Amino acid sequence: MQEQIKPGFHEQVQRKLYILTNEEQKILQKFGNEWFVTRLDGLKIGDRSEYKYALIKAPRNYQELFNFERELIIIFSDYESFQPRSTDAIDAVSDQLQDLRIDKICSIMLSKDDKIEEKIRDILKESQESQVIVPISYSEILNNHSDSYFLRNKFKTNFYTRDLFDFQSPLKKDLYFFGRSDIINKIVNRHFSNENSGLFGLRKTGKTSVIFGIQRALDKIGAKSILISCDDTSFQQRRWNKCLHYIIVEINKKYKLNLPLQAEDQYTEENASQIFAEEICKIYHIFQEKSILIIFDEIERITFNISSVTHWEKKFDFIFFWQTLRANFQKLNNVFSYLIVGTNPVCIEQSSIFGKDNPIFHSIPIEYLPRFDVPQTRDMVRKLGRIMGLQFEEIIYSKLTEDYGGHPFLIRQVCSLIHRLNNQHLPITVDRITYDKAKNEFDKNYASKYIEMMVSVLSEFYPDEYDLLEYLAIGDLNFFNQYAIESTEYTNHLKGYGIISQTRDEYDFKIDAVKQYLIQKNKYKKVNTTNEDMLNEISQRRNALEPKLRKIVRTQLKAKYGENQARDKLLLSFGKEEQKKYNHLAYKDLFDPDKVNIYFENLKNIIKKDWSTFEHIFSRKQEEFNLKMEAINKYRADAHAKQMTPDRMGHFRDCMTWIENHVNDFLED
C-alpha cells in the first residue's frame, strides 16, 4: 500500500510566505504540520479592507473524522477588533477562485481579536444559514505548545455541536439548499420564454425556499423579480385596483428607482389597468427591457371562496385583478410574467367564478413541488451529516426517502433527531439500528407536530381534500372511492402533493407518518364498526373526559370561592351519608377517584348547579351543554351494555365531540 505524502506546504505557498507576518507564518506552519497547505494569496475588498488567505486540504485522519473532500479556506484577519463584515472575505475568496474544489460549507477565520470565538458565535446566532466557521485567535494558536489535538478539537467543537438539519424557516441562500435546481431552472426558463407558471405544494415542502432560489438565479444574471406575499395584510386588504399600484410601488422600492409614480387614488377601477401598463412599461425600459417576474406567494389569501377577506372571497376582485394582469401580459409582450405559488391550483382549474369566466382558467402550467428521490436525499443528508459527525450507511438514504415520502423537511427533522440522540458519541456511523431508534422516537413524539403544520392548510382552505385523506387513513374505502370517482381533481391534488399514490384503482399513503397522524386524530370517525367497537369507544372517551372535567371543576370552584368555601359547596353536591364519609378530606382529595366516588353524573350536576362559574368554558350555551351531557351519560357503555345503532353512535359522537372540544380548548389555553 502506497504511503500517504506527509502534510506540509506546496511550492507556491513557500514562494508566497513573504506576504505573511512572522506570527502569521508560525500560525500557518501549525496547519502545515497537520494539513496540506495548497495555496497562499491576498485579496482586497472595497477600498480599504485587505485580507490574506490560504487553502488547506485534509489528510486522511481529518477526512475520516470530518469527511472533508474539498479544500478549506483560511482567512487571516489582522485587525485588532473583529468586525462581522470580515466574514465577507470568505465569499470573496470563493468567488475569486470559482473553483469547485473549495468547500462552501465550512471555513477557518484567524483573528488578532481574542474575542473572535464569541463574536463568531453571535454572528451564527443571527443567521442560521451562515456557513460553519472555525474561529481561532492568533494568540491561542501561537501559545498552544502542549495540546497536540488543538486543531482537531477546534473542528470538533464547531462542527459537531451545530445542527445543520434543523432549519425551520425558508432558506434564503444556496449554501444549505438541495435538490430543487430542476424546478428552478424550468420556471426561470419559462419566464424568459414569456410564459407564466404555477407552483403548488403543502406547507413545509420548500415552496418559499424555491421562490428565493428563483430570485437568486435571476439576480445572478441581472434579471428582475418582485415577491408579493398575498398573506401580507397590506396587500390582501386592498381592493384589486389598489393591489396593482402596490405591485408597482414594491418594484420601485426594491430596486431603488425613485420613480415619480401615480398616487394610489389615481388607480380607480376604470383607470387602474391603463396606469399599471404605463408604469410597468416605464420600469421595463429603465431595466433595459428586461422582463420582470411577479411572484404571488400564498395565493389562497386572494382566491375566491377561500380568502378570509370578503372582497376576494365573495366579490369579483379575483376576476378583475387577473383580467387586468392577463390582458396586460398579452398586450405588453415580454414586459412581465407571473408565477402563482400556493397549496392548491383550484384558482387555475375552476372554469367559472360566480357565473363569470375565470380569466386564468387553464392558462398557466401547473407544477407540484416534487419529492426528493434517493440521490437527492443522499446529497443533502450526506453533505450536512459529514459536518456534524454523522456518516450514514448507504441503505439509510433509501430508508429515509421511503419512510418519509421524499419530504425534505421531515427527512431533515429525523436526521436532526439522530444528531441530538447521539451528540455525546460523535463521530458515529448511522446504521439501521441507530436509524430505527431515532425513527421510532420521531414518529412517537415529534412527527404529529410537523405533520399538523403540513396538512393544516388543507383543513383550513380545502376541507374536502382533508376529509378524503381522513377517510383513506381510517380505512373507510367505500366513502373514499366514491368521492375519488366523483371528484378526480381532489385525488389528483393529493397525488400532486406527494401524500398518496395510486396503483390501478387502489390508493395508499406515501408518507406513513401522515397516515398514522390522521388515524390517531380521527380514530373515532370510522363508520361501520362492530357493536363491541362502538361500546369500547364510548367507554374510552368517557373515561378520558372524566378526569379533565374533575380538573376543571376543582380549579374553577377554587378560583371563584376560595378553597374552604369551594370545599363546602362540593360536599353539598353529595348525599348526607357521603357528606359524613368525606367530611374529613382536604379539598383536593375530594377529587381523588381512589378516595371519593365522584362520578360523571356528579360532575355534570355540579356544573349545572353553578353554571355561572363554568359558562365561559362552554360558550355560554347552557341548554346545549345539558342536552349533550345527558346524552353522553345515557350511552354510558360501561354501566350497562347496549346494542348500539349507527344513528345512536352518530348522536353520541356529535355530543361527545362538542364537549371534548370545549374542554380541550379551555385546558390548552
Side-chain angles (χ1 to χ4, degrees):
M1 187 176 189
Q2 186 176 356
E3 187 177 347
Q4 188 183 24
I5 302 172
K6 291 182 178 180
F9 292 170
H10 188 275
E11 290 179 5
Q12 185 270 349
V13 176
Q14 294 282 7
R15 292 194 299 270
K16 276 272 191 175
L17 283 174
Y18 68 88
I19 71 170
L20 301 178
T21 65
N22 287 337
E23 63 178 358
E24 287 170 345
Q25 289 185 29
K26 291 177 182 177
I27 291 171
L28 193 61
Q29 186 59 58
K30 298 261 188 181
F31 281 93
N33 293 338
E34 299 182 44
W35 292 68
F36 302 102
V37 184
T38 61
R39 188 184 183 102
L40 177 63
D41 213 333
L43 81 159
K44 191 174 182 180
I45 302 178
D47 296 329
R48 293 178 296 173
S49 301
E50 294 184 1
Y51 297 91
K52 288 157 279 190
Y53 71 89
L55 300 184
I56 58 174
K57 185 174 175 60
R60 185 174 297 149
N61 60 334
Y62 275 91
Q63 288 177 5
E64 291 171 354
L65 275 172
F66 304 104
N67 293 297
F68 287 133
E69 295 176 347
R70 300 178 179 183
E71 295 178 65
L72 306 187
I73 296 171
I74 297 178
I75 298 293
F76 291 87
S77 177
D78 60 2
Y79 301 98
E80 296 296 333
S81 178
F82 180 82
Q83 299 297 322
R85 65 175 178 269
S86 294
T87 58
D88 294 341
I90 298 170
D91 294 330
V93 171
S94 184
D95 292 342
Q96 178 177 295
L97 297 179
Q98 289 291 309
D99 196 328
L100 294 177
R101 294 180 302 149
I102 304 298
D103 195 304
K104 300 293 175 65
I105 293 181
C106 49
S107 302
I108 300 116
M109 180 64 70
L110 301 171
S111 175
K112 281 189 174 181
D113 190 338
D114 289 338
K115 294 183 178 179
I116 178 64
E117 192 161 351
E118 177 184 334
K119 290 182 176 180
I120 289 292
R121 194 181 305 121
D122 290 341
I123 291 171
L124 297 181
K125 282 180 184 176
E126 291 178 7
S127 177
Q128 189 184 17
E129 288 188 63
S130 295
Q131 67 169 205
V132 177
I133 299 175
V134 180
I136 305 174
S137 70
Y138 281 25
S139 60
E140 66 176 327
I141 190 170
L142 288 170
N143 294 331
N144 174 64
H145 302 296
S146 57
D147 185 1
S148 57
Y149 292 100
F150 172 81
L151 286 178
R152 195 175 306 180
N153 290 334
K154 277 288 181 183
F155 279 97
K156 281 186 177 181
T157 299
N158 289 279
F159 282 27
Y160 294 172
T161 56
R162 187 168 169 197
D163 189 349
L164 299 177
F165 286 115
D166 189 23
F167 288 106
Q168 300 288 335
S169 301
L171 298 172
K172 295 183 177 180
K173 301 179 180 179
D174 281 326
L175 197 58
Y176 303 114
F177 185 72
F178 296 91
R180 303 299 195 193
S181 56
D182 288 348
I183 193 75
I184 288 174
N185 292 335
K186 184 181 288 187
I187 291 172
V188 167
N189 289 335
R190 278 197 185 132
H191 169 61
F192 288 133
S193 300
N194 197 35
E195 296 178 64
N196 302 310
S197 299
L199 179 66
F200 301 93
L202 294 180
R203 284 179 182 150
K204 292 296 179 183
T205 50
K207 297 191 300 294
T208 307
S209 296
V210 169
I211 290 172
F212 292 145
I214 290 167
Q215 291 193 290
R216 288 195 303 272
L218 293 172
D219 289 342
K220 285 178 183 177
I221 55 177
K224 310 300 179 182
S225 67
I226 190 67
L227 173 59
I228 304 297
S229 296
C230 300
D231 61 343
D232 187 338
T233 53
S234 61
F235 181 76
Q236 66 172 239
Q237 291 293 335
R238 282 176 158 84
R239 297 300 302 267
W240 70 270
N241 45 312
K242 303 299 174 67
C243 283
L244 295 171
H245 176 263
Y246 180 94
I247 294 169
I248 296 294
V249 168
E250 290 298 298
I251 298 172
N252 193 42
K253 190 190 306 180
K254 176 180 177 180
Y255 290 103
K256 299 180 174 62
L257 302 178
N258 298 318
L259 281 176
L261 302 175
Q262 293 277 5
E264 185 177 67
D265 59 11
Q266 296 299 306
Y267 273 71
T268 63
E269 293 192 2
E270 295 83 5
N271 298 330
S273 178
Q274 182 180 343
I275 296 175
F276 174 81
E278 291 170 356
E279 296 202 313
I280 202 164
C281 282
K282 285 181 187 176
I283 293 172
Y284 171 70
H285 291 303
I286 290 173
F287 287 159
Q288 299 178 330
E289 300 190 350
K290 290 179 179 175
S291 178
I292 306 159
L293 177 63
I294 307 173
I295 305 170
F296 296 96
D297 191 20
E298 297 278 359
I299 195 65
E300 282 77 19
R301 302 295 179 178
I302 62 166
T303 296
F304 53 89
N305 294 331
I306 297 172
S307 173
S308 57
V309 181
T310 302
H311 57 262
W312 294 106
E313 179 196 14
K314 296 180 179 179
K315 296 186 178 179
F316 291 135
D317 280 48
F318 180 91
I319 295 175
F320 294 144
F321 182 73
W322 287 106
Q323 274 180 345
T324 304
L325 282 181
R326 179 84 192 279
N328 279 299
F329 166 74
Q330 293 173 331
K331 180 175 66 177
L332 307 174
N333 184 38
N334 213 31
V335 170
F336 70 90
S337 70
Y338 40 81
L339 165 63
I340 293 176
V341 183
T343 299
N344 186 305
V346 66
C347 62
I348 300 170
E349 293 176 334
Q350 189 162 317
S351 60
S352 65
I353 306 162
F354 312 133
K356 308 294 182 183
D357 289 342
N358 180 355
I360 55 173
F361 173 61
H362 280 184
S363 67
I364 302 173
I366 294 170
E367 295 281 352
Y368 287 97
L369 204 59
R371 70 189 192 100
F372 273 20
D373 56 21
V374 174
Q376 289 170 322
T377 299
R378 183 182 188 276
D379 185 43
M380 177 180 72
V381 171
R382 184 171 177 273
K383 283 181 180 177
L384 297 182
R386 68 183 178 85
I387 305 298
M388 299 162 56
L390 302 174
Q391 186 165 345
F392 292 80
E393 289 187 348
E394 285 295 322
I395 188 65
I396 305 303
Y397 304 124
S398 57
K399 287 179 72 66
L400 277 165
T401 307
E402 181 179 354
D403 291 341
Y404 297 98
H407 193 294
F409 179 79
L410 292 177
I411 290 170
R412 287 204 312 270
Q413 295 308 315
V414 174
C415 292
S416 174
L417 181 59
I418 291 172
H419 180 257
R420 294 199 302 275
L421 292 175
N422 297 280
N423 61 7
Q424 300 300 315
H425 310 288
L426 301 174
I428 65 160
T429 297
V430 180
D431 55 16
R432 289 190 186 213
I433 295 174
T434 306
Y435 171 74
D436 287 342
K437 180 181 177 183
K439 180 185 182 301
N440 292 338
E441 174 81 6
F442 180 81
D443 291 350
K444 180 180 178 182
N445 297 318
Y446 299 94
S448 61
K449 175 180 72 172
Y450 296 124
I451 291 166
E452 172 70 26
M453 292 162 66
M454 287 167 49
V455 301
S456 62
V457 67
L458 294 183
S459 59
E460 180 182 358
F461 291 122
Y462 307 104
D464 290 340
E465 292 180 19
Y466 186 77
D467 288 346
L468 206 55
L469 270 184
E470 288 182 335
Y471 284 111
L472 180 61
I474 63 178
D476 191 346
L477 298 182
N478 289 334
F479 182 90
F480 177 88
N481 290 328
Q482 180 184 346
Y483 220 135
I485 292 169
E486 294 175 358
S487 308
T488 55
E489 69 271 18
Y490 292 163
T491 50
N492 288 337
H493 293 164
L494 295 174
K495 288 188 288 184
Y497 303 146
I499 296 182
I500 68 171
S501 61
Q502 180 183 7
T503 305
R504 292 181 292 277
D505 294 330
E506 294 185 1
Y507 295 86
D508 196 9
F509 281 85
K510 295 184 82 168
I511 308 176
D512 190 60
V514 173
K515 179 180 180 179
Q516 296 307 318
Y517 164 80
L518 291 170
I519 288 174
Q520 182 60 31
K521 190 171 183 180
N522 300 282
K523 59 184 177 182
Y524 297 132
K525 282 190 176 181
K526 191 171 183 179
V527 297
N528 300 324
T529 53
T530 64
N531 189 67
E532 183 181 359
D533 288 339
M534 289 189 279
L535 295 178
N536 285 337
E537 178 184 329
I538 292 170
S539 178
Q540 288 171 8
R541 294 178 77 172
R542 285 186 71 257
N543 291 341
L545 178 63
E546 196 169 294
K548 294 179 181 179
L549 288 174
R550 278 202 299 271
K551 181 178 180 180
I552 285 175
V553 170
R554 176 170 56 84
T555 57
Q556 295 304 109
L557 288 178
K558 182 178 177 181
K560 183 173 182 179
Y561 298 109
E563 187 167 312
N564 291 334
Q565 190 177 351
R567 180 179 177 278
D568 293 342
K569 279 185 168 292
L570 185 62
L571 283 170
L572 289 174
S573 68
F574 296 106
K576 290 185 178 180
E577 290 298 320
E578 290 172 312
Q579 289 179 34
K580 292 179 183 178
K581 183 178 178 181
Y582 301 143
N583 192 47
H584 69 287
L585 293 176
Y587 178 67
K588 67 175 183 178
D589 291 334
L590 291 174
F591 293 93
D592 186 340
D594 292 329
K595 297 177 181 178
V596 174
N597 294 325
I598 183 166
Y599 298 118
F600 192 90
E601 180 76 8
N602 300 110
L603 297 169
K604 179 195 72 172
N605 291 334
I606 292 168
I607 295 173
K608 284 175 63 176
K609 186 175 182 180
D610 207 334
W611 176 248
S612 63
T613 304
F614 304 95
E615 62 178 355
H616 63 289
I617 300 172
F618 301 99
S619 304
R620 293 178 168 79
K621 296 180 178 179
Q622 185 173 11
E623 184 177 356
E624 194 163 358
F625 171 82
N626 292 341
L627 290 173
K628 292 186 185 304
M629 289 292 281
E630 289 289 347
I632 291 170
N633 211 37
K634 182 180 70 173
Y635 293 127
R636 63 187 189 277
D638 50 343
H640 43 85
K642 301 175 180 178
Q643 183 66 37
M644 294 295 292
T645 64
D647 287 344
R648 294 174 69 187
M649 192 64 193
H651 184 226
F652 167 80
R653 284 175 168 175
D654 287 342
C655 296
M656 177 59 85
T657 299
W658 190 89
I659 298 293
E660 286 172 336
N661 288 342
H662 282 82
V663 166
N664 291 336
D665 287 347
F666 175 75
L667 293 177
E668 288 172 5
D669 286 343

